[in-house]
């Protein structure tokens, strides 16, 4: 992105000042006959014109979408000055002044509606513009077509486009015009309210003062509008004075918003540097950019060269989001033009390319450091995913072996045991009977061992009834007295199997070193995590030995992004805690 000033350079500021002074001088000249007798009104009106001209010139020099609003404000300042030509009461001046008033109102209304994006954004706003032209320009022509200049408070010898003079119709058209202008004002206020509700967060500091000021001007102009402003020149001049005095708040609001924008432009890059000076983690960099650009929806995606893909802040591989009118994707690259990151922003920031560019330049080094962290996190995620897949395959393999043992060797041993029992019962030879009975007992013992092995690989009760009954069965076989509390729902097989074998290791440890201890087993689910606890009141002092059973628990849980911890102070019992993310 190219750098462009969010506010004008000094040369533009000078031109804005000249435009303001020019608008003030034009107002003074156009209303000179009135100002000699109304000095206070002259001062207020000239100040309002200077403010309009300067505010318009300031925005016109921005070089971005706000410049269109600036041009419209300059036009409004010029035509507002022309409205005072009515006081000259000669030639074409009164007619030109009447239409100048309509043009100035339309220009101000359009300037606010297109600010800051530089265009009308909906049908309602376009239709309002059409209606404003109809009411403030076309309707004025109709009034002049059916009237004489003296009916409008002017001299009879001024130029006036009279076609069919009709005083009754003239009065009716004035009444209709006042009603239509009131409707136009209410419609405009509704547009301002809708615009305020739809403002993006980064637009509010500059836009809210402008919207409030515009609403105030519209309300005051509508309330002070009187019928005699069409028929009495002095009443018309008084209306212009009130309107100009109140309307000065609008350019002041524009100037206030411009100053806020200037402060944003200066402070935003510095804020990124301040926020990332102590930490350049992915989360911190995203927070700094979002805060500086006033866009809490900002999303960061980092390029991982080895995968030729992007990852999110958690290190997960993701595709670039699809293009949407409400979002803006910006790709950043390193000095050697390799991809670095993609920043997804609110589309409203398209009207602030200079600020976005300045913020990204200020945060470029932090982005580079955060990318390295994101790449490392992505690689770690891949390792964990691979470990999880291995664990899932091991679980599936245990289930397969258990089924094979139950349906294969176990059934064969059962059949062999039955045959030996039949042989012992039917043979008349005592020596054969005793050998057959002994063999049957050996086969039965082997069958019991095989059943225990099969259940240890993946006990059926774990698959059918869950962790609670499975652990209770293990505690019973180990001869332990346990207090079991389970408040978790069923989990995926890999998660349940990992939790089961980890907690079984804890029970085995109790049976081995503290067989007379009381044991408490607690299984809970909190915030998407399955938590397991095996606690005993034995002598404690258990240590995690590399390659031992307790160390294996840590390896198993880490494979599923979980954790395990052992607390075993002397004389305080042992507590094995396990945490696994729920599937």
């Amino acid at each position: 992105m190219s750098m462009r000033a969010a506010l004008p350079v000094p040369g533009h500021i000078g031109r804005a000042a000249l435009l303001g002074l020019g608008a003030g001088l034009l107002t003074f000249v156009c209303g000179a006959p009135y100002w000699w007798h109304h000095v206070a009104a002259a001062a207020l009106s000239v100040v309002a014109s200077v403010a309009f001209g300067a505010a318009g010139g300031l925005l016109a020099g921005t070089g971005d979408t706000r410049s269109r609003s600036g041009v419209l404000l300059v036009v409004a300042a010029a035509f507002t000055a022309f409205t005072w030509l009515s006081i000259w009461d000669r030639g074409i001046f009164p007619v030109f002044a009447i239409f100048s008033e309509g043009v100035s109102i339309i220009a101000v209304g359009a300037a606010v509606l297109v600010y800051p994006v530089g265009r009308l954004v909906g049908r309602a706003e376009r239709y309002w513009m059409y209606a404003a032209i109809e009411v403030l320009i076309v309707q004025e022509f109709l009034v002049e077509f059916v009237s004489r200049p003296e009916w409008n408070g002017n001299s009879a010898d001024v130029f006036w486009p009279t076609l069919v003079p009709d005083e009754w119709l003239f009065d009716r058209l004035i009444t209709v015009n006042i009603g239509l202008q009131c409707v136009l004002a209410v419609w405009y206020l509704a547009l301002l309210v809708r615009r305020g509700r739809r403002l993006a967060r980064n637009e509010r500091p500059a836009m809210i003062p402008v919207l409030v000021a515009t609403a105030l001007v519209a309300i005051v102009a509508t309330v002070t509008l009187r019928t005699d402003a069409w028929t009495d020149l002095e009443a018309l001049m008084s209306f212009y004075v009130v309107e100009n005095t109140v309307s000065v708040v609008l350019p002041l609001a524009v100037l206030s918003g411009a100053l806020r924008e200037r402060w944003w432009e200066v402070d935003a890059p510095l804020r990124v540097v301040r926020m990332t000076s102590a930490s350049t983690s992915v989360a911190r960099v995203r927070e700094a950019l979002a805060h500086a650009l006033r866009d809490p929806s900002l999303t960061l995606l980092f390029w991982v060269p080895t995968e030729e893909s992007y990852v999110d802040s958690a290190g997960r591989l993701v595709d670039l989001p699809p293009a949407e009118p409400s979002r803006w994707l910006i790709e950043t690259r390193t000095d050697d033009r390799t991809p670095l990151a993609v920043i997804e922003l609110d589309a409203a920031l398209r009207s602030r390319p200079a600020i976005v560019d300045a913020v990204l330049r200020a945060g470029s080094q932090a982005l580079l450091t955060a990318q390295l962290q994101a790449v490392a996190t992505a690689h770690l995620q891949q390792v964990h995913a691979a470990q999880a897949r291995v664990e899932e395959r091991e679980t599936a393999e245990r289930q397969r072996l258990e089924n094979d043992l139950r349906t294969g060797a176990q059934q064969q041993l059962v059949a062999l045991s039955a045959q030996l029992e039949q042989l012992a019962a039917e043979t008349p030879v005592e020596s054969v009977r005793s050998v057959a009975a002994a063999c049957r007992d050996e086969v039965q013992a082997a069958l019991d061992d095989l059943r225990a092995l099969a259940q240890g690989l993946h006990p059926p009760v774990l698959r059918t009834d869950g962790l609670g009954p499975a652990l209770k069965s293990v505690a019973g076989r180990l001869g332990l007295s346990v207090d079991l509390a389970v408040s978790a729902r069923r989990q995926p097989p890999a998660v349940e199997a990992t939790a089961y074998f980890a907690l079984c290791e804890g029970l085995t440890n109790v049976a081995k070193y503290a067989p007379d201890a009381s044991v408490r087993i607690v299984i809970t689910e909190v915030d998407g995590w399955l938590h397991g606890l095996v606690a005993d009141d034995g002598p404690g002092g258990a240590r995690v030995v590399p390659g031992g059973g307790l160390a294996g628990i840590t390896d198993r849980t880490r494979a599923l992004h979980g954790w395990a911890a052992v607390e075993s102070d002397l004389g305080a019992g042992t507590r094995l805690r396990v945490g696994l993310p729920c599937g």
Side-chain angles (χ1 to χ4, degrees):
M1 292 181 294
S2 61
M3 285 289 291
R4 290 187 294 179
L7 278 179
V9 296
H12 289 150
I13 294 177
R15 284 194 289 273
L18 287 176
L19 283 172
L21 293 175
L25 180 61
L26 185 61
T27 299
F28 182 79
V29 171
C30 290
Y34 186 74
W35 305 140
W36 298 125
H37 307 288
H38 303 83
V39 177
L44 291 172
S45 298
V46 169
V47 167
S49 295
V50 170
F52 265 103
L58 197 65
L59 290 182
T62 58
D64 57 27
T65 54
R66 293 171 295 165
S67 62
R68 297 176 183 175
S69 292
V71 172
L72 288 169
L73 286 178
V74 172
V75 170
F79 278 91
T80 299
F82 293 147
T83 60
W84 294 103
L85 289 172
S86 292
I87 197 62
W88 291 87
D89 198 23
R90 67 184 64 172
I92 199 173
F93 287 163
V95 172
F96 183 69
I98 290 174
F99 291 106
S100 294
E101 181 191 10
V103 172
S104 67
I105 294 174
I106 293 171
V108 170
V112 174
L113 290 180
V114 302
Y115 185 81
V117 296
R119 58 186 175 83
L120 300 173
V121 295
R123 289 184 179 179
E125 295 182 355
R126 288 194 294 271
Y127 290 158
W128 184 89
M129 289 295 300
Y130 300 149
I133 294 172
E134 164 65 25
V135 173
L136 299 174
I137 303 295
V138 177
Q139 286 292 119
E140 288 292 346
F141 268 116
L142 295 178
V143 171
E144 293 188 5
F145 287 160
V146 301
S147 67
R148 297 187 185 278
E150 56 268 27
W151 299 350
N152 292 269
N154 297 108
S155 301
D157 58 348
V158 302
F159 171 80
W160 205 262
T162 304
L163 293 179
V164 184
D166 186 322
E167 194 164 3
W168 180 88
L169 183 57
F170 170 67
D171 292 337
R172 301 291 85 73
L173 284 177
I174 289 177
T175 302
V176 170
N177 240 14
I178 292 176
L180 290 176
Q181 289 186 21
C182 290
V183 171
L184 202 64
V186 172
W187 186 356
Y188 193 75
L189 290 173
L191 292 177
L192 295 180
V193 171
R194 188 182 71 163
R195 170 67 71 85
R197 289 178 175 177
R198 294 182 176 181
L199 287 176
R201 181 176 177 179
N202 57 72
E203 296 175 327
R204 292 171 187 166
M207 277 299 298
I208 291 297
V210 175
L211 295 180
V212 172
T214 308
L216 177 62
V217 172
I219 291 171
V220 172
T222 303
V223 170
T224 57
L225 187 62
R226 299 181 303 175
T227 303
D228 57 1
W230 268 268
T231 59
D232 182 77
L233 187 58
E234 187 66 26
L236 179 62
M237 294 298 101
S238 299
F239 173 72
Y240 285 166
V241 170
V242 173
E243 189 178 43
N244 282 4
T245 302
V246 176
S247 65
V248 75
V249 300
L250 178 55
L252 292 179
V254 172
L255 291 172
S256 171
L259 291 175
R260 289 171 180 265
E261 294 290 299
R262 177 59 177 168
W263 175 248
W264 181 19
E265 179 205 3
V266 171
D267 182 61
L270 298 178
R271 185 172 300 175
V272 172
V273 174
R274 288 195 302 268
M275 293 183 68
T276 58
S277 59
S279 171
T280 52
S281 66
V282 173
R284 186 62 172 174
V285 172
R286 196 214 74 84
E287 180 187 3
L289 294 178
H291 199 264
L293 293 173
R294 301 174 181 170
D295 182 11
S297 67
L298 183 145
T299 301
L300 274 180
L301 302 177
F302 290 97
W303 178 255
V304 180
T306 56
E307 299 295 329
E308 294 189 348
S309 180
Y310 288 93
V311 296
D312 60 15
S313 56
R316 297 183 293 264
L317 293 175
V318 295
D319 296 325
L320 287 179
E324 297 180 8
S326 62
R327 306 296 292 168
W328 183 21
L329 294 182
I330 300 177
E331 183 185 44
T332 61
R333 293 177 175 269
T334 60
D335 292 338
D336 58 1
R337 306 306 301 164
T338 58
L340 174 62
V342 165
I343 299 95
E344 185 183 8
L345 305 169
D346 190 321
L349 285 167
R350 289 183 184 274
S351 62
R352 299 291 184 273
I355 295 179
V356 173
D357 186 57
V359 166
L360 294 184
R361 288 179 185 275
S364 59
Q365 190 60 45
L367 280 172
L368 187 59
T369 305
Q371 186 214 21
L372 298 177
Q373 185 184 92
V375 170
T377 302
H379 291 162
L380 184 61
Q381 287 280 353
Q382 293 171 13
V383 171
H384 286 166
Q387 291 176 337
R389 289 193 294 271
V390 169
E391 184 66 26
E392 290 175 357
R393 285 196 295 269
E394 288 181 355
T395 300
E397 187 64 19
R398 291 191 196 99
Q399 292 178 338
R400 187 188 65 79
L401 287 174
E402 181 222 347
N403 291 333
D404 289 347
L405 290 174
R406 184 179 293 108
T407 59
Q410 187 173 330
Q411 288 185 356
Q412 293 174 2
L413 288 175
V414 169
L416 178 59
S417 177
Q419 292 175 358
L420 290 172
E421 185 173 2
Q422 182 180 3
L423 177 61
E426 295 178 353
T427 182
V429 182
E430 181 62 28
S431 59
V432 175
R433 184 183 299 110
S434 62
V435 171
C439 290
R440 181 200 61 198
D441 294 340
E442 291 292 336
V443 169
Q444 189 62 46
L447 184 58
D448 292 340
D449 291 341
L450 189 59
R451 284 172 176 160
L453 175 61
Q455 289 184 348
L457 288 172
H458 197 87
V461 67
L462 175 63
R463 184 170 57 252
T464 58
D465 300 330
L467 280 169
L471 291 171
K472 188 174 183 179
S473 175
V474 172
R477 291 201 303 270
L478 294 174
L480 297 175
S481 174
V482 299
D483 178 15
L484 178 65
V486 180
S487 59
R489 58 188 174 88
R490 296 297 302 272
Q491 302 296 325
V495 175
E496 285 194 337
T498 300
Y500 171 77
F501 287 112
L503 298 178
C504 280
E505 186 64 38
L507 292 174
T508 302
N509 192 66
V510 174
K512 184 176 181 180
Y513 297 106
D516 297 327
S518 297
V519 182
R520 181 165 55 96
I521 303 175
V522 180
I523 301 173
T524 59
E525 182 180 345
V526 180
D527 295 332
W529 280 77
L530 180 70
H531 296 277
L533 167 69
V534 173
D536 66 71
D537 57 0
R543 295 290 180 267
V544 178
V545 180
L550 294 178
I553 295 174
T554 302
D555 296 336
R556 281 181 177 274
T557 53
R558 283 181 178 174
L560 295 182
H561 299 188
W563 55 269
V566 177
E567 302 170 5
S568 187
D569 296 331
L570 285 173
T574 302
R575 289 162 298 285
L576 169 65
R577 302 180 187 275
V578 176
L580 293 166
C582 300

